[in-house]
Every structure is written in structure tokens, then in C-alpha cells.
Amino acid sequence: MKVFVVNCGSSSIKYQLFSMTNEDVLAKGVLERLGTNQATLHHRARGQSWKLAVQAANHTEGLRTILDVLVDAEKGVMSTIGEIEGVGHRAIHGGEEIRGTVRIDESVLEVIRRNAELAPLHNPPSLAGIEGAMAALPDVPHVAVFDTAFLSTLPPKAHRYAVPEQWYTEHHVRKYGFHGTSHRYVTLRTAELLGKGADQANLITAHLGNGCSMTAVAGGQAVDHSMGLTPLEGLVMGTRSGDIDPSVVLYMQSRGFSPADVDRVLNKQSGLLGVSGCSNDMRDLLGEAEGGNERADLALEMFVYRIAKYVGAYYTILPRCDAVVLTGGIGENSLPIRQRIVRSLARLGAELDDARNAATVKGRAGPITTDASALAVWVVPTNEELMIARDTRQMVRPL
Ligand code: AMP
């Protein structure tokens, strides 16, 4: 059974084609600069890669181009697109209505449209991608896996803000959270690696990429999470500030910044980039800090310190903590940051195993703390596309 997984941004379409028999990726790629005359398709299949200049004015055309390549005699992996039995979409904001994976119909499209108000940067391109794929592949089921779904189990004491009730009832102001599919994948995978049922897993999962978030998981369910109404809340990220006093927003407006300026600065010019003044990329910052750049070093300290504070908070609210799980580009690859994180958790009994830290790279999963550690820290590579493919298979042809 073949499942096609699609993740649409405003000017890009990422895709993977899975054979679900062995969960093999038959082809994958990304179409970038959609809607410009420089649209480019980076495609990988059969152990080869291609960079192709393509015509793609919108998501429908982009998806048709990708499907043509997937059935191409040289670059393709199928003889006809009829081999695709289901399409899985990464969807972002499902509000309070959507609490799990759903088959897409008009009511689901309406939920995505309605929640565009809360996720103006993410829901419109995701909707365009879904509608484009439904037009290009009208005869197969389309399934949506929402970023917010895994986090819909947060209890009111965790998801509500201490603001007047009407802000919640009339304006839907609450914590929704994001990266849920990644947190769900690593929760399930870590439970498997620990030899536990998923409903027995008590974890603190940290997705550390350009965007960063943490989730407290009790009995396999999310009970708290660091991102909020939008992805801005929580950890220090590549270009987002994470937690700040909300009065900073009003204060900067009183100093002449428009609401749009403040929004741009907090989302795109803050975090590691804002503090260091040089980069949002962890590799650059580690190099700069090593070379004596004090601002870069402070950005790294703040990044790790904020993570340690959230671990402390989540450790306190969980009945037990089987492991802190690191994932995402930084969690999976950055040995020095993992070392700093484990050191920052010494008070909770985490003790780094240098050899394990060095060996747990290139997609490997495992603990990076010693067996004697009172708190285990694991690295578990995420795979949101596989999670979406599995959900799609389950929805289309239940096992
Ligand atoms: P993501 O958004 O998950 O792709 O993660 C992007 C972040 O991961 C960037 O800050 C990268 O610098 C960081 N990253 C990726 N690979 C490495 C690596 N080998 N060492 C350190 N950081 C890395």
C-alpha cells in the first residue's frame, strides 16, 4: 500500500511517498519557490537526486508536477498515480474541535479556515496544499494530522491562561501547542525502546529545532506543553523569544513600534538570533562561542537555561519521569548542546555518558546518560512524516 505525505508551506511543498509494507520511503523531496519563475523541485528516489526547474504557479500545479515526477520512467517509482491509496497532510491548527487524526471532508476544511485567525501564517498555506492535493488526486481519501491534536489532552489548569473567562469563551484565548505530531512520535518510539506500553510512558519530550517546544507526557498523554496560543511561547528558539513579560509588547508599542513591528521582531528577530546578533543556526553559534563571541555564548546559555527550567517544572508535575527525550535538528545532532543540557540537569541526577553522547548520532536513538543516572536523558530522532503515513494507513485501511 502506498501513502503520499504532504507538508505545505506558503511557498513550498515537502513530500514523501511511503510503501507501508515495510514503511520504506520510495521517494521524497521538496518543491521550493512555488509561485515564482524560479520554482525548483529537489527530488530523491532510487538512490539518486535531481534538482529540476519547474513551472508551478500554485499548490495544485506544484502537486501535479510532483505527481508527474513520481510516475516518470527515469525519476519515478510508480507506473500510475492510481497506486496511491491515501494522502496524509500535515495540518497545523485544529483549534478545540479536532482532537485526533481525521479524514478530510468539508467540515474539516471549515475548521482549518476558521482557525486561520489563530494561525494566520500556517493554516492558509496548509489549506491551499490540501485543496491542491484534493484537486490533483480526487479519487483517494485525504487525511489530516494536526499539530495541535496530541496536545488537546492538556487539562484546563495547563491550557487556560489566568485571564478573564470571556477571553477564552469569546475569543478562544488558551494554550493550543504545536509540534504535536513530533511529540507523539517520540513518545511512542521512546515507550517502545523502553519496553513499555505507550500508556505507561511518563516523559518530558523536547523538540529542539529552529522552532523549539517541550511537552510533559503522563501515561502517554500530553499534560503540559511550552508553546501557547501561537508558537511564540516557551523555549528560546532560533528566531522566537519564547517566554517574555507580555507588558514588553505594550511597552515597545508605547516606544513607537507598531503591533506588526513587535510581532515581526518577537517571531523573526529574537531568540538565538536576537541575543547573539549573528545567527539562528546552532552550528554557527557554537563556532562563534568557541571563538570567544560572548553574545553567542550568552544565547547558548539562555537556550539551555530555559530548557532546564521547563524540565524542572515538568518533573514536578509528572507522577514519575522515565526519561527526558531530545529530538529535532539540535536534539538529534548537537553533541555540545546535549552535553550542556545534561549538565544543567545534574541537580535532578542526570549524569552524562560521553561515549553514549558521541555514539548517538546519524539517526540513532538511545540514552546519553549513564546507567547510574537518577534521571535518564535519551535522544530519539523524530519522524513526523512516518507518523502521518501510519495514521493515514490506519484511517484508509485499518489494521
Ligand atoms: P530543524 O528545524 O529540526 O531542522 O533544526 C534546525 C537546527 O538544528 C539548526 O539550529 C541547526 O543548526 C541545528 N543542527 C542541525 N544539524 C546540526 C549538527 N550537526 N550540529 C549542530 N546543530 C545542528
Side-chain angles (χ1 to χ4, degrees):
M1 177 190 183
K2 293 193 178 72
V3 166
F4 185 47
V5 173
V6 187
N7 178 358
C8 289
S10 55
S11 62
S12 70
I13 304 174
K14 289 190 193 140
Y15 62 93
Q16 290 195 17
L17 182 72
F18 285 88
S19 161
M20 295 313 289
T21 321
N22 298 314
E23 298 187 332
D24 289 334
V25 178
L26 302 175
K28 65 193 283 192
V30 58
L31 199 165
E32 292 173 333
R33 302 186 185 200
L34 191 68
T36 73
N37 53 13
Q38 291 167 328
T40 310
L41 178 62
H42 301 266
H43 175 73
R44 275 171 49 191
R46 306 164 177 270
Q48 293 185 62
S49 20
W50 292 268
K51 184 177 171 191
L52 309 164
V54 295
Q55 301 283 333
N58 52 41
H59 287 87
T60 310
E61 286 186 26
L63 283 154
R64 290 216 167 101
T65 304
I66 293 165
L67 291 169
D68 285 346
V69 169
L70 289 172
V71 296
D72 181 80
E74 183 204 358
K75 308 172 198 76
V77 287
M78 295 185 289
S79 41
T80 131
I81 58 169
E83 291 178 35
I84 295 174
E85 286 191 49
V87 183
H89 294 270
R90 178 178 182 208
I92 311 296
H93 207 312
E96 290 196 306
E97 297 97 319
I98 293 181
R99 304 175 70 87
T101 295
V102 288
R103 189 156 168 173
I104 302 174
D105 57 15
E106 189 43 45
S107 70
V108 173
L109 295 176
E110 186 46 39
V111 169
I112 301 174
R113 265 181 223 120
R114 211 170 28 248
N115 285 299
E117 225 184 353
L118 292 166
L121 295 181
H122 295 104
N123 274 23
S126 160
L127 185 67
I130 292 171
E131 289 179 330
M134 290 176 94
L137 287 165
D139 300 323
V140 291
H142 289 253
V143 168
V145 181
F146 282 84
D147 245 31
T148 48
F150 182 62
L151 308 162
S152 65
T153 50
L154 262 55
K157 66 183 174 191
H159 76 65
R160 286 284 298 275
Y161 294 115
V163 293
E165 165 99 0
Q166 289 94 318
W167 284 26
Y168 171 57
T169 52
E170 287 173 29
H171 304 288
H172 315 290
V173 170
R174 55 159 283 181
K175 181 189 282 288
Y176 293 96
F178 300 88
H179 290 155
T181 308
S182 174
H183 289 284
R184 177 158 64 106
Y185 178 83
V186 297
T187 295
L188 294 172
R189 181 78 185 116
T190 309
E192 195 182 343
L193 292 165
L194 290 171
K196 288 172 178 284
D199 60 352
Q200 299 299 310
N202 290 280
L203 304 169
I204 299 171
T205 56
H207 179 109
L208 308 175
N210 198 30
C212 301
S213 64
M214 280 174 62
T215 303
V217 177
Q221 295 211 322
V223 294
D224 207 343
H225 175 77
S226 62
M227 284 178 166
L229 175 80
T230 75
L232 187 54
E233 190 180 345
L235 301 179
V236 174
M237 312 183 206
T239 61
R240 296 192 193 113
S241 64
D243 296 336
I244 57 163
D245 179 346
S247 295
V248 171
V249 173
L250 305 174
Y251 176 70
M252 292 313 288
Q253 287 181 37
S254 78
R255 310 277 299 177
F257 282 69
S258 70
D261 289 338
V262 179
D263 185 56
R264 192 190 62 253
V265 171
L266 292 178
N267 278 291
K268 302 228 185 285
Q269 296 168 3
S270 296
L272 296 173
L273 175 65
V275 177
S276 70
C278 61
S279 176
N280 60 323
D281 190 290
M282 194 49 90
R283 286 162 290 200
D284 296 345
L285 290 175
L286 285 161
E288 285 289 329
E290 216 162 275
N293 182 329
E294 287 179 12
R295 285 179 63 184
D297 197 49
L298 175 61
L300 298 182
E301 272 192 51
M302 290 171 69
F303 182 82
V304 173
Y305 181 69
R306 186 81 53 89
I307 292 168
K309 286 211 296 188
Y310 268 89
V311 171
Y314 291 170
Y315 189 87
T316 309
I317 59 155
L318 286 175
R320 191 181 74 235
C321 180
D322 301 321
V324 173
V325 184
L326 309 179
T327 196
I330 298 169
E332 292 171 31
N333 299 302
S334 182
L335 272 58
I337 293 297
R338 297 189 325 205
Q339 181 185 54
R340 285 186 186 217
I341 291 172
V342 174
R343 286 203 179 131
S344 76
L345 303 177
R347 173 81 180 77
L348 295 178
E351 192 182 79
L352 187 74
D353 183 320
D354 285 306
R356 283 179 171 173
N357 191 29
T360 314
V361 286
K362 297 196 174 128
R364 290 200 192 95
I368 57 168
T369 42
T370 62
D371 290 335
S373 273
L375 177 68
V377 179
W378 281 60
V379 170
V380 177
T382 194
N383 196 338
E384 289 161 282
E385 290 77 13
L386 179 58
M387 192 82 256
I388 295 170
R390 284 180 182 164
D391 277 12
T392 305
R393 190 229 17 230
Q394 189 61 19
M395 190 66 67
V396 173
R397 216 204 278 171
L399 284 176

